[in-house]
């Protein structure tokens, strides 16, 4: 039997000996983008943006294989059209320049001048390199004595920041990178302490991420619209880095659950920015399963490899963070913040992150979430210490693109392009699954002077002690709610118009059997009104006379339920309705309904030009199968 010879290893066309034969464009310089994992890859793209359309420069990417959390990295590169070559090949080819946003892997073996950059908001974490490993991640949480611990016996001197110490910057007595990028001048002093040999090659270039976030501020309204945030609502961004002491790791998803459970759904939207290391270590499928009840309750969860988290941060009114870079970026943008978790033992001494942990209040388990957010907003609005902290993200604001391009082209030996180096804005995210309201929901409808105020909370997230819910609380659920516990115990059942037979008059008997706790069935009417059906056969119509943006037939039903608790109105009366603090009010008329006197029920909007999306899509109501 003849043995077929093994195939020769495939050589990437960009570095093949006869590469000019295969090239459509013949670049003058080749740059290696060194990728550690998806986190470093996304930061690398921020840096590489300065090359723009320059045909003289070609970038090839290679993954070091040094990260324990590199799942999905190759898929990320392919999805972004980034050509990848094996790491062993990358170390052999004499690139004109290499750029890395992490220190993992045997970078000292590259045959190219290396530029080392941070992969977050500066240098804020502590980490000791394990001999021969090169694969540890900063911010992982627990540390053994002598491995970054601050306990006695941990070492002869205070640990320095990951990326600014000799153990990460030197090999065999020589400095590895040809340039160490700094975003703020204060980092130079920490570099002088951690690795004075590297100080001569340090370069102050600013922070491209904060420059992009600030440049995107004019698009704030567009981002808020993409996240389903109305002008009268506030957006809370909950940011979680990775590891057991992160916002998600510290107590599971309890902090997120509290935020969603306690904040009125018609006043707030909540988005989560999850670190790629957390997302890809467990997988997107698993992350969605773990957060399924939160997603059903309105949580917005964009994939972390996109730039949606940046758009969310620009759009945010409040931030609940931890010791991750997103929290520091939020402070730099002036977003009031509280800390849902904070790993003090992983934060580098003297770093801006250490200062952040001292200045930002911790989320208290003994006080309601809403008041804590509002107090933080009031206190931080004019806090000079926080303003000074935010300024430590970059000491050359708005200059990163120009400074990075000048540095890169100087190392490449090329003249810069004629056009100015510019910072691009964050694209408006496409989030088709954003849902503005919630069902099943706990609704609190109370008389507030001459008006009725309604607040709505996701029912699935409420605990046995619901201090934020008052005695005038009722449960509303879709008539097709698959959880029989919610459906059978609902005070109000909701029937969207798209489930109706337009030729049949709606009656209690159609949906009221087997729901002993139900006091009212609300059938959607045109223009977000409702037809209220009672067990004794009475019917009432609720029609918006002044319809605000938040109007929805489920809220109209809550008002009817509140009005009928004491006595049923014998004649039409109009109620002023508010759905939250600081929101415009609406006028709702409630009157007895008579088929002979009223127009017959219709499933069609009264004004086709003003037709809205079906309630099941717009409000997140479960659709029956």
């Amino acid at each position: 039997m003849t043995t077929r010879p093994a195939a020769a290893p495939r050589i990437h066309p960009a570095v093949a000996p006869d590469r000019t034969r295969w090239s459509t464009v013949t670049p003058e310089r080749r740059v290696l983008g060194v990728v550690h994992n998806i986190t470093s890859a996304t930061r690398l793209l921020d840096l590489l943006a300065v090359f723009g359309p320059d045909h003289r420069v070609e970038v090839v990417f290679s993954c070091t294989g040094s990260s324990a959390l590199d799942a999905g990295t190759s898929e990320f590169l392919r999805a972004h059209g980034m050509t990848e070559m094996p790491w062993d090949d990358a170390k052999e080819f004499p690139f004109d320049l290499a750029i890395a946003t992490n220190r993992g892997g045997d970078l000292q073996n590259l045959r190219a001048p290396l530029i080392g950059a941070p992969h977050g908001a500066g240098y804020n974490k502590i980490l000791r390199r394990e001999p021969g490993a090169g694969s540890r991640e900063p911010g992982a949480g627990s540390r053994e004595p002598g491995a970054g611990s601050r306990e006695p016996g941990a070492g002869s001197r205070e640990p320095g920041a990951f990326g600014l110490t000799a153990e990460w910057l030197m090999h065999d007595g020589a400095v590895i990178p040809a340039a160490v990028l700094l975003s703020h001048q204060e980092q130079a002093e920490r570099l002088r302490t951690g690795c004075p040999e590297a100080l001569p090659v340090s370069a102050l270039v600013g922070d491209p991420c904060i420059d992009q976030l600030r440049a995107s501020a004019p698009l704030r309204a567009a981002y808020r619209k993409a996240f389903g945030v109305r002008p009268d609502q506030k957006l809370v961004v909950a940011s979680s880095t990775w590891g057991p002491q992160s916002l998600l790791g510290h107590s599971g998803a309890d902090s997120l659950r509290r935020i969603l459970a306690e904040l009125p759904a018609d006043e707030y939207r909540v988005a989560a920015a999850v670190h790629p290391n957390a997302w890809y270590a467990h997988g997107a499928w698993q992350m969605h399963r773990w957060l399924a009840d939160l997603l059903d309750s309105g949580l917005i969860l964009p994939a972390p490899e996109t730039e949606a988290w940046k758009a969310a941060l620009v759009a945010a009114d409040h931030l609940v963070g931890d010791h991750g870079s997103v929290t520091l970026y939020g402070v730099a943008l002036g977003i009031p913040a509280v800390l849902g978790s904070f790993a003090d033992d992983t934060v580098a001494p003297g770093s801006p992150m250490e200062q952040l942990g001292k200045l930002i209040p911790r989320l208290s388990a003994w006080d309601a979430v809403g008041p804590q957010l509002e107090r933080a907003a009031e206190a931080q609005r004019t806090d000079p210490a926080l303003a000074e902290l935010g300024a430590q993200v970059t000491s050359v604001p708005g200059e990163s693109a120009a400074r990075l391009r000048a540095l890169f082209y100087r190392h490449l030996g090329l003249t810069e392009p004629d056009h100015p180096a510019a910072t691009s804005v964050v694209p408006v995210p496409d989030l088709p699954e954003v849902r503005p309201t919630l069902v099943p929901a706990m609704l609190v409808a109370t008389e507030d002077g001459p008006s009725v105020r309604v607040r709505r909370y996701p029912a699935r997230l409420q605990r046995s002690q619901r201090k934020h819910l008052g005695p005038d609380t009722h449960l509303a659920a879709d008539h097709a709610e698959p959880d029989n516990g919610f459906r059978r115990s609902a005070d109000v059942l909701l029937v969207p118009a798209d489930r109706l037979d337009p030729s049949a008059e709606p009656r209690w008997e159609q949906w009221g059997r087997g729901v002993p706790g139900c006091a009212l069935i609300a059938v959607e009417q045109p223009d977000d009104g409702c037809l209220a059906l009672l067990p004794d056969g009475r019917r009432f119509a609720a029609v918006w006379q002044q319809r605000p943006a938040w109007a929805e037939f489920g809220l109209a039903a809550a008002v009817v339920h509140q009005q009928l608790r004491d006595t049923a109105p014998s004649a039409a009366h109009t109620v002023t309705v508010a759905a939250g603090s600081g929101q415009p009010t609406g006028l709702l008329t409630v009157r007895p309904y008579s088929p002979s006197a009223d127009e017959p029920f219709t499933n069609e909007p009264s004004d086709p030009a003003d037709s809205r999306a079906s309630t099941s899509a717009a409000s997140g109501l479960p659709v029956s199968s």
Side-chain angles (χ1 to χ4, degrees):
M1 179 177 180
T2 305
T3 303
R4 179 178 296 177
R10 183 175 180 271
I11 300 175
H12 194 284
V15 298
D18 54 349
R19 53 186 174 275
T20 55
R21 176 184 176 187
W22 309 108
S23 297
T24 300
V25 176
T26 304
E28 298 178 30
R29 303 287 189 274
R30 286 181 171 82
V31 175
L32 176 67
V34 180
V35 177
H36 188 64
N37 50 29
I38 290 178
T39 307
S40 70
T42 56
R43 182 64 167 197
L44 193 60
L45 291 178
D46 289 343
L47 301 174
L48 296 173
V50 300
F51 287 123
D54 192 343
H55 289 193
R56 298 174 298 167
V57 180
E58 180 178 24
V59 182
V60 178
F61 299 86
S62 185
C63 186
T64 62
S66 59
S67 174
L69 301 171
D70 62 357
T73 303
S74 291
E75 292 81 357
F76 175 87
L77 297 178
R78 285 196 295 272
H80 286 75
M82 301 154 71
T83 57
E84 182 183 8
M85 66 184 302
W87 179 240
D88 286 341
D89 291 348
K91 290 185 293 184
E92 293 298 321
F93 186 79
F95 284 93
D96 299 292
L97 185 65
I99 303 172
T101 55
N102 204 287
R103 304 294 180 267
D106 46 350
L107 302 179
Q108 69 278 1
N109 293 330
L110 290 172
R111 299 177 61 192
L114 173 69
I115 291 180
H119 69 262
Y123 301 88
N124 293 293
K125 306 293 175 63
I126 54 175
L127 174 66
R128 291 286 189 238
R129 185 193 292 272
E130 294 180 353
S135 61
R136 290 287 300 279
E137 308 284 345
S142 61
R143 297 283 185 269
E144 297 297 325
S149 171
R150 300 189 190 185
E151 299 177 7
S156 59
R157 61 184 176 90
E158 190 85 340
F162 167 67
L164 294 180
T165 59
E167 62 185 325
W168 294 104
L169 295 175
M170 298 186 69
H171 179 77
D172 288 343
V175 175
I176 299 171
V180 177
L181 303 189
L182 308 179
S183 54
H184 194 282
Q185 190 58 45
E186 65 86 15
Q187 296 160 11
E189 293 306 311
R190 290 192 283 143
L191 179 62
R192 187 190 308 276
T193 301
C195 186
E197 298 87 346
L199 193 61
V201 298
S202 63
L204 180 64
V205 297
D207 187 306
C209 184
I210 192 63
D211 284 354
Q212 185 185 35
L213 291 170
R214 287 171 174 162
S216 302
L219 294 179
R220 173 178 163 85
Y223 299 146
R224 291 173 67 82
K225 183 177 180 180
F227 281 97
V229 183
R230 298 192 308 263
D232 53 290
Q233 288 180 311
K234 294 180 179 179
L235 175 64
V236 178
V237 173
S239 171
S240 178
T241 186
W242 70 283
Q245 298 185 71
S246 65
L247 183 72
L248 282 181
H250 179 62
S251 57
D254 282 356
S255 293
L256 267 177
R257 186 169 284 104
R258 276 193 66 203
I259 295 167
L260 282 160
E262 295 187 25
L263 296 180
D266 295 291
E267 298 178 43
Y268 293 89
R269 300 305 317 275
V270 181
V274 178
H275 195 287
N277 284 359
W279 185 277
Y280 285 97
H282 301 288
W285 180 90
Q286 183 65 78
M287 193 64 69
H288 279 93
R289 298 289 76 72
W290 281 337
L291 301 179
D293 59 336
L294 307 185
L295 294 169
D296 289 342
S297 299
L299 178 67
I300 306 168
L301 185 67
E305 72 272 14
T306 70
E307 292 191 284
W309 71 268
K310 296 179 181 178
L313 206 57
V314 175
D317 298 286
H318 299 279
L319 175 64
V320 180
D322 54 17
H323 53 284
S325 291
V326 175
T327 311
L328 190 52
Y329 283 133
V331 170
L333 292 176
I335 304 170
V338 297
L339 295 173
S341 178
F342 197 83
D344 296 276
D345 64 330
T346 70
V347 174
S351 67
M353 192 64 71
E354 182 187 49
Q355 188 68 8
L356 183 148
K358 296 176 181 178
L359 292 175
I360 301 296
R362 311 292 168 106
L363 186 66
S364 170
W366 310 109
D367 194 5
V369 172
Q372 293 186 68
L373 296 181
E374 294 306 320
R375 284 197 300 270
E378 182 65 27
Q380 295 174 25
R381 188 173 294 117
T382 57
D383 188 336
L386 276 179
E388 183 179 349
L389 173 62
Q392 290 191 49
V393 172
T394 174
S395 54
V396 286
E399 298 182 23
S400 64
R403 287 174 175 256
L404 284 168
R405 193 174 77 173
L407 177 72
F408 292 168
Y409 276 81
R410 184 165 65 250
H411 279 275
L412 289 172
L414 291 175
T415 57
E416 292 187 56
D418 293 335
H419 60 83
T423 298
S424 61
V425 298
V426 177
V428 177
D430 181 15
L431 301 169
E433 295 183 5
V434 169
R435 300 179 296 183
T437 55
L438 313 166
V439 167
M442 305 295 295
L443 291 99
V444 184
T446 56
E447 291 193 19
D448 186 5
S451 65
V452 174
R453 184 175 298 277
V454 183
R455 282 190 167 92
R456 182 162 39 177
Y457 303 87
R460 286 190 174 92
L461 303 183
Q462 305 308 316
R463 304 290 180 87
S464 57
Q465 288 186 322
R466 301 189 291 265
K467 296 180 180 179
H468 58 286
L469 301 180
D472 300 319
T473 302
H474 69 272
L475 172 64
D478 191 290
H479 80 94
E481 165 62 41
D483 187 327
N484 284 331
F486 281 121
R487 188 171 59 84
R488 288 177 58 83
S489 59
D491 301 284
V492 176
L493 281 181
L494 303 176
V495 182
D498 59 5
R499 316 244 187 96
L500 299 172
D501 178 358
S503 65
E505 188 74 22
R507 296 190 178 278
W508 171 275
E509 292 75 16
Q510 290 178 260
W511 305 283
R513 296 187 181 91
V515 284
C518 186
L520 184 153
I521 295 176
V523 180
E524 183 181 11
Q525 289 269 35
D527 297 326
D528 301 305
C530 76
L531 175 64
L533 311 176
L534 274 61
D536 60 7
R538 290 178 298 164
R539 292 184 282 181
F540 294 85
V543 180
W544 293 100
Q545 304 299 330
Q546 178 179 305
R547 185 177 59 163
W550 48 260
E552 196 233 72
F553 89 101
L555 291 173
V559 175
V560 177
H561 180 268
Q562 189 272 344
Q563 294 286 289
L564 297 181
R565 281 183 306 183
D566 299 325
T567 179
S570 57
H573 70 288
T574 300
V575 183
T576 301
V577 185
S581 301
Q583 295 184 323
T585 57
L587 294 178
L588 185 74
T589 296
V590 181
R591 55 179 171 76
Y593 174 84
S594 171
S596 59
D598 285 302
E599 294 182 6
F601 179 84
T602 174
N603 189 19
E604 297 298 324
S606 58
D607 182 3
D610 190 40
S611 176
R612 298 185 178 189
S614 69
T615 302
S616 59
S619 66
L621 296 172
V623 180
S624 59
S625 57

